Amino acid sequence: MSLSLEARTQAVRAALDQVTDPELDESVVELGFITGIDIAETGAVDIRFRLPTYWCAANFSYLMAADMRDAVRALPWVASVAVTLDEHMFIDAINDGIAQDKDFGDAFPTEAGNDLASIRLQFGLKAMERRQEALLRHLLAAGHDPVAFLSLDIAGLEALPLDAAGAALRRRYLERRGLAGGLPRALVTSAGEPIMHETLPVYLRHISRVGLNAEFNGALCRGLLAVRYATPAALPAEPDLADFMRQGIVQTARP
Amino acid sequence: MYKAKDGSEIFIIDGHVHLWDASPENIRNIHGKQFIDCFYGYHASLSPPEQLWTAEKFAKYGAEQMVKDLFIDGPDDMAIFQPTYLKDFYKNGFNTLEQNAILSKRYPNRFILNGAFDPRDGEGGLEALEAQAETYKLRGVKLYTAEWKGDSRGYKLSDPAAYKYLEKCEKLGIKNIHVHKGPTIIPLDRDAFDVADIDHCATDFPNLNFIVEHCGLPRLDDFCWIATQESNVYGGLAVVLPFIHSRPGYFAKVISELLFWIGEDKILFGSDYGIWTPQWLVEKFMNFDLPDEVMKETGKELTMTAKRKILGENAARIYGVDIASQRAKLDRMEQVAA
């Protein structure tokens, strides 16, 4: 083994950290879903994970399992990957399908809407909107002129001087920007269309409802996972959008 | 009855209650066990610590405890029973209309009994619905469009088969169609979150009311849009309201969006008892004020009038309950009991 076991474990953890729950747009590691990583001398990696309920949607569960497998398989020293889900209604279909590299449609032939790519895009765009809302609110609070920043292209947005928090929000947003396609502008709607500065407040309220949905799910999932496995609720390592928005409310409304 | 700080009395109709049996004796299989465990997860993660029950009590709390929690210790004047059959998971069912009817008979004037149907049951189901409606004088039903049945992964309320049932409801005087559009609690796929079918039904059945339970969360954005377009679409607060304790800032945002989009006349209180008890929910709701920042964003206030409507007057209107005469009936019963 050219890399130490510790270095390999770290590499696997870092790869898994890039995998998100599509609905919550948060890392499966931070959510507390990963329960075990075993790495053999041969380069065989064994990953075990759990979900907040026995009923968590099969398509999302499958998507996460497949993403974990693919992320870890991309590491150069990995010979094989096994991903195993614990205690789930479809434990066999999911674990067997992932082990045999099946498409979701083959693993769940009777499932309605078994096209994972469209689900991935749909929720990817919602994630883009959440990340964009956080960035837009940050830019406005920092006194940037909407007429100017809404017309920037990606290079222009990247060149905008921002503090550390703003730079992190920008990086997170740009990770998802490509999904919307469309204009060369950096800040666009989920359909790739321009955001007009005259209607920015209305647009912000519109996309904030996407965040409300996600926060509902995120809070429920964390709470359910904590109760199910009698562990303290996992907290995100860095403030997520929901925290950002909550702080906004608390700071301005409760002096 | 809830007595507000200013001394006024508020009539409470709890729009969403259950009496279930998930005791080990009634559990049929692993799914039944996991189902009640999931419900307990909701209870334990969103209740204030002093309101926590043990898992044993939660599995089967019994009729007496329910009456105590709703009407004696709790502020409810009336409650609407929403059945959840789940006979594949529980030997005698989880929470059936027949079981609810026994309690309703013992405590007259307290409960409104809702039924259930599944359009995939075809002609036989239509006859069963007719019989149910006659026996129990149904004014409402609770539906789970995302429930699995054999190979089916749910249905849409806009399907032709469902329309036959809705037409039957109209004929039978079942005016209130409660539809579960909320978090994943039974085997369902992502279409479960989709509220678009309600849009079609609400247009095509203007004489029926469609109450979207849990406000379509986690699809609040779509739900608000539909409910704004259709005057007969309502939002049920079950599962949404408990956030008032653990995440009041979040609850403020959601309720103000609902006030803005669907308005105070179309939001219904529901505790989802036994997941949560109405006493603390109503207490916190009555004492809740929207933060200025949230009010500024939507321009909506959560006034005493709005609270009164949400807690009882809206449900009274769609279920044909005359609050003054109902109050008088309940007062007389109490005097007899005393």
Side-chain angles (χ1 to χ4, degrees):
Chain A
M1 218 186 247
S2 54
L3 282 170
S4 71
L5 180 63
E6 198 187 328
R8 289 184 175 207
T9 307
Q10 270 175 14
V12 168
R13 195 169 281 280
L16 293 174
D17 201 36
Q18 297 302 308
V19 176
T20 55
D21 176 310
E23 209 174 3
L24 307 181
D25 188 31
E26 290 177 44
S27 149
V28 293
V29 175
E30 281 175 20
L31 284 164
F33 290 174
I34 308 293
T35 53
I37 300 172
D38 284 322
I39 301 172
E41 281 288 328
T42 57
V45 182
D46 191 358
I47 296 156
R48 288 178 306 285
F49 78 110
R50 63 186 182 187
L51 293 171
T53 75
Y54 180 77
W55 315 100
C56 289
N59 45 13
F60 289 152
S61 310
Y62 205 85
L63 213 146
M64 282 185 269
D67 284 356
M68 289 179 206
R69 180 195 61 201
D70 296 345
V72 174
R73 194 183 267 167
L75 296 170
W77 50 267
V78 169
S80 65
V81 187
V83 177
T84 316
L85 171 61
D86 283 335
E87 287 199 284
H88 191 277
M89 173 139 191
F90 297 109
I91 190 166
D92 294 336
I94 291 174
N95 288 339
D96 294 350
I98 292 294
Q100 294 164 32
D101 264 340
K102 281 187 190 167
D103 280 347
F104 179 68
D106 294 329
F108 287 85
T110 57
E111 179 85 11
N114 56 17
D115 175 13
L116 283 197
S118 73
I119 296 174
R120 195 191 291 277
L121 178 62
Q122 185 191 349
F123 283 88
L125 287 171
K126 282 177 185 284
M128 185 200 90
E129 288 177 322
R130 285 184 77 198
R131 294 173 178 208
Q132 185 187 65
E133 185 201 357
L135 176 61
L136 288 172
R137 290 195 191 273
H138 179 90
L139 293 174
L140 290 171
H144 292 274
D145 174 15
V147 179
F149 66 68
L150 287 174
S151 63
L152 293 173
D153 61 12
I154 290 174
L157 180 65
E158 280 175 329
L160 201 65
L162 295 178
D163 63 16
L169 294 171
R170 171 174 59 196
R171 176 175 47 77
R172 276 175 62 77
Y173 169 68
L174 287 174
E175 281 170 15
R176 293 283 186 274
R177 164 63 185 86
L179 294 172
L183 293 171
R185 283 192 188 190
L187 293 155
V188 293
T189 68
S190 62
E193 287 166 353
I195 300 164
M196 314 309 285
H197 68 89
E198 299 90 340
T199 52
L200 183 58
V202 178
Y203 175 74
L204 270 173
R205 275 203 55 210
H206 166 70
I207 58 174
S208 77
R209 283 193 296 279
V210 177
L212 281 181
N213 295 333
E215 183 174 357
F216 175 83
N217 291 324
L220 270 185
C221 292
R222 283 204 162 80
L224 291 171
L225 187 77
V227 173
R228 189 174 190 203
Y229 293 103
T231 54
L235 289 172
E238 62 182 57
D240 61 9
L241 173 63
D243 295 312
F244 178 82
M245 287 165 60
R246 266 199 304 283
Q247 280 164 12
I249 295 170
V250 173
Q251 281 165 7
T252 49
R254 307 241 167 100
Chain B
M1 181 72 59
Y2 184 87
K3 220 176 191 120
K5 281 188 184 132
D6 65 3
S8 63
E9 292 179 338
I10 295 180
F11 192 84
I12 312 270
I13 300 180
D14 193 334
H16 203 122
V17 302
H18 302 284
L19 174 63
W20 63 64
D21 177 3
S23 60
E25 299 74 42
N26 194 32
I27 287 180
R28 189 185 289 283
N29 50 35
I30 175 75
H31 305 317
K33 171 79 175 96
Q34 291 282 354
F35 186 84
I36 192 65
D37 283 357
C38 181
F39 262 33
Y40 187 71
Y42 279 76
H43 166 74
S45 60
L46 292 178
S47 295
E50 67 278 9
Q51 301 290 341
L52 276 188
W53 290 0
T54 63
E56 291 70 31
K57 177 180 174 185
F58 190 80
K60 188 178 183 179
Y61 39 87
E64 297 312 316
Q65 181 73 43
M66 180 179 195
V67 168
K68 186 168 179 286
D69 287 336
L70 298 187
F71 307 118
I72 299 170
D73 297 346
D76 290 359
D77 292 286
M78 298 180 76
I80 306 175
F81 261 131
Q82 310 284 6
T84 311
Y85 280 73
L86 296 175
K87 288 211 164 176
D88 289 348
F89 300 171
Y90 298 95
K91 292 171 194 160
N92 302 316
F94 183 66
N95 164 212
T96 65
L97 170 58
E98 295 72 21
Q99 293 155 2
N100 294 340
I102 297 170
L103 191 60
S104 173
K105 203 166 176 183
R106 212 181 321 152
Y107 294 90
N109 300 316
R110 285 296 191 185
F111 290 103
I112 293 169
L113 289 176
N114 276 358
F117 68 71
D118 188 325
R120 294 166 297 188
D121 291 336
E123 287 295 323
L126 284 168
E127 284 163 26
L129 178 65
E130 200 164 336
Q132 247 185 27
E134 195 177 322
T135 310
Y136 301 110
K137 309 281 175 283
L138 297 184
R139 303 294 305 270
V141 285
K142 172 81 189 280
L143 310 177
Y144 291 88
T145 57
E147 194 163 1
W148 291 20
K149 197 179 184 80
D151 284 341
S152 160
R153 295 294 182 256
Y155 63 92
K156 289 192 186 307
L157 209 52
S158 50
D159 291 344
Y163 267 37
K164 279 194 180 168
Y165 279 77
L166 293 175
E167 284 160 10
K168 181 65 102 181
C169 284
E170 255 187 329
K171 281 195 200 116
L172 295 170
I174 299 174
K175 279 189 69 91
N176 300 307
I177 315 295
H178 294 252
V179 193
H180 178 103
K181 295 279 185 185
T184 312
I185 53 150
I186 38 179
L188 38 75
D189 66 20
R190 90 196 151 87
D191 286 344
F193 309 143
D194 198 347
V195 289
D197 53 344
I198 303 297
D199 201 359
H200 297 285
C201 299
T203 306
D204 292 339
F205 292 92
N207 298 320
L208 299 179
N209 300 313
F210 294 87
I211 302 98
V212 175
E213 294 298 344
H214 321 303
C215 295
L217 278 168
R219 291 286 289 274
L220 182 74
D221 41 353
D222 297 341
F223 168 67
C224 284
W225 177 245
I226 287 165
T228 307
Q229 305 293 302
E230 307 290 345
S231 61
N232 52 340
V233 173
Y234 292 73
L237 284 185
V239 183
V240 179
L241 187 52
F243 281 83
I244 202 169
H245 163 68
S246 52
R247 293 184 172 228
Y250 171 74
F251 176 74
K253 279 185 156 266
V254 172
I255 195 78
S256 69
E257 288 292 335
L258 292 171
L259 289 168
F260 179 85
W261 288 96
I262 74 174
E264 63 189 38
D265 293 318
K266 290 162 67 187
I267 304 172
L268 303 184
F269 162 65
S271 64
D272 225 337
Y273 185 85
I275 308 185
W276 299 284
T277 47
Q279 200 248 338
W280 72 265
L281 290 170
V282 170
E283 188 72 38
K284 281 192 189 274
F285 184 66
M286 285 302 298
N287 291 318
F288 188 77
D289 292 317
L290 288 178
D292 293 342
E293 187 63 22
V294 173
M295 271 196 285
K296 217 165 67 188
E297 185 136 339
T298 58
K300 291 290 167 188
E301 291 180 48
L302 182 58
T303 61
M304 187 59 124
T305 305
K307 288 177 177 173
R308 218 176 246 287
K309 289 177 175 176
I310 292 169
L311 288 172
E313 289 174 3
N314 292 339
R317 191 175 66 251
I318 65 174
Y319 275 90
V321 173
D322 180 81
I323 291 181
S325 66
Q326 190 69 22
R327 196 174 258 168
K329 272 188 217 163
L330 292 171
D331 284 348
R332 272 200 302 279
M333 275 167 42
E334 266 173 30
Q335 283 162 10
V336 172

